[in-house]
Amino acid sequence: MNCREVDELLWLDVLGELAPAETPGLKEHLRACPACAAEHTRRRELIQRLPQPAKRPEAYWDAYTETVISKLRRGPADRGTRRWVIAAALAALVTVMATREISEKRMLQTVAAELDILEHFEVLEELAEVPPEEFERLVEKFRG
Amino acid sequence: MEREKIIPSEMDQISRLAEKSREGDLAAFSELVGLYRERAYGLAMSFVRNHPDAEDVSQEAFIKAYKNLKSLKSTGAFGAWFFRIVANLAKNKLRWRNFREKLHLTSKTGEEGLEPFGLEQVADRHADSDPAGGTVRNEWAARIREALASLSDQQKTAVHMKLLEGYKISEIARLMTISEGSVKVHLFRGLKKLRESFPEADA
């Protein structure tokens, strides 16, 4: 095992992910190679010295849970309204993208406004059949 | 770095709570939220790296989970199933954000003016943590912040999930829906950049 081969094993070891079968080979190399042994120590220190993010206060988490539960109690907008919002927003998008007379800036502003409406009504997930790549493709087509 | 482990008795409790939630018991679901909220938020943060988006995504994941509990075959598998929902919603959020950035509808990172709470904040906190040996540490904090900024989205996600959330490489692969080999590539490239920012000897 040479120093190059050991490089990945050093990371795996300090991350606690080294396979037991690899341990003897790594140990043997570290005994024979002071440079890799020093690097091993520095990597371990690097991982240990990265502090964890500060914990948020319990009051924050209580409010967090309350928000989730109150949204569930309130329930979604009725299906009719949601369908109307999706249909209207998509119709506007398609119209805008098909209209070559307006400026690109105006088109982007309209796209932004429609995306905001969709996000506001939390219906983006229902647009799985129109993924971002498709919007992108439409925009590219418009630009071209 | 280790995540809090769910012990077997908690697994039974979670399974029971998920079962009751499936029957529409919001009090039981509220308890489930209490058990998973911090890890859900942390996982979302691994992808989106700002507080409002992580909060939004993780709360949305709970709502989606509640509404789709009937599709969960075994309530004992609630955790793994739920974290997939969080990861998928977070990836969608990131895709939309990147799409908006491409259209110049929002700033480059989507984080302008927002509170940093990912690894970037860790670097900030490290800068303030040692008034006595401040200079060397401040220098390191500045360098590590630079190194973090230079990581790709996938490198940041892999490093965050491993170092701050304590996921195993195999779990990261499942959540990022990439191979373990790819996770290692992103993780080691990210760590290499952090390592380069780390001083050679203690001052």
Side-chain angles (χ1 to χ4, degrees), chain A residues 112-129:
Chain A
E114 299 305 333
L115 289 178
D116 284 341
I117 291 171
L118 293 171
E119 279 196 337
H120 178 71
F121 279 82
E122 297 170 355
V123 292
L124 280 178
E125 67 185 77
E126 293 182 25
L127 295 173
E129 72 276 19

Side-chain angles (χ1 to χ4, degrees), chain A residues 17 42 52 60 64-65, chain B residues 37 55 58 125 162 169 199:
Chain A
E17 297 253 10
R42 296 305 285 156
Q52 299 290 296
Y60 167 79
Y64 175 105
T65 304
Chain B
R37 59 197 179 188
E55 185 181 72
S58 56
R125 289 171 61 239
K162 184 67 203 166
I169 288 172

Side-chain angles (χ1 to χ4, degrees), chain A residues 9-144:
Chain A
L9 301 185
L10 288 180
W11 281 125
L12 289 172
D13 188 48
V14 298
L15 294 172
E17 297 253 10
L18 187 67
E22 305 271 23
T23 307
L26 176 63
K27 278 189 176 167
E28 192 182 328
H29 181 86
L30 292 179
R31 271 195 297 271
C33 178
C36 284
E39 180 59 19
H40 187 236
T41 304
R42 296 305 285 156
R43 288 186 189 182
R44 196 184 291 280
E45 284 174 2
L46 168 69
I47 303 298
Q48 284 169 351
R49 284 171 59 177
L50 276 176
Q52 299 290 296
K55 283 201 170 265
R56 289 186 171 265
E58 203 54 34
Y60 167 79
W61 293 114
D62 290 345
Y64 175 105
T65 304
E66 187 47 43
T67 302
V68 172
I69 300 302
S70 63
K71 275 188 181 177
L72 285 171
R73 280 210 182 94
R74 208 164 51 232
D78 69 82
R79 278 195 87 72
T81 306
R82 289 162 76 84
R83 278 190 187 153
W84 180 86
V85 171
I86 294 170
L90 282 179
L93 279 175
V94 169
T95 306
V96 166
M97 286 175 176
T99 308
R100 285 173 176 273
E101 283 75 30
I102 63 170
S103 70
E104 184 171 320
K105 188 180 173 192
R106 175 79 188 110
M107 182 202 73
L108 293 178
Q109 283 169 345
T110 309
V111 170
E114 299 305 333
L115 289 178
D116 284 341
I117 291 171
L118 293 171
E119 279 196 337
H120 178 71
F121 279 82
E122 297 170 355
V123 292
L124 280 178
E125 67 185 77
E126 293 182 25
L127 295 173
E129 72 276 19
V130 190
E133 291 82 357
E134 181 65 10
F135 279 121
E136 201 172 331
R137 197 184 62 75
L138 286 168
V139 171
E140 287 305 320
K141 196 174 165 188
F142 172 82
R143 280 176 170 156

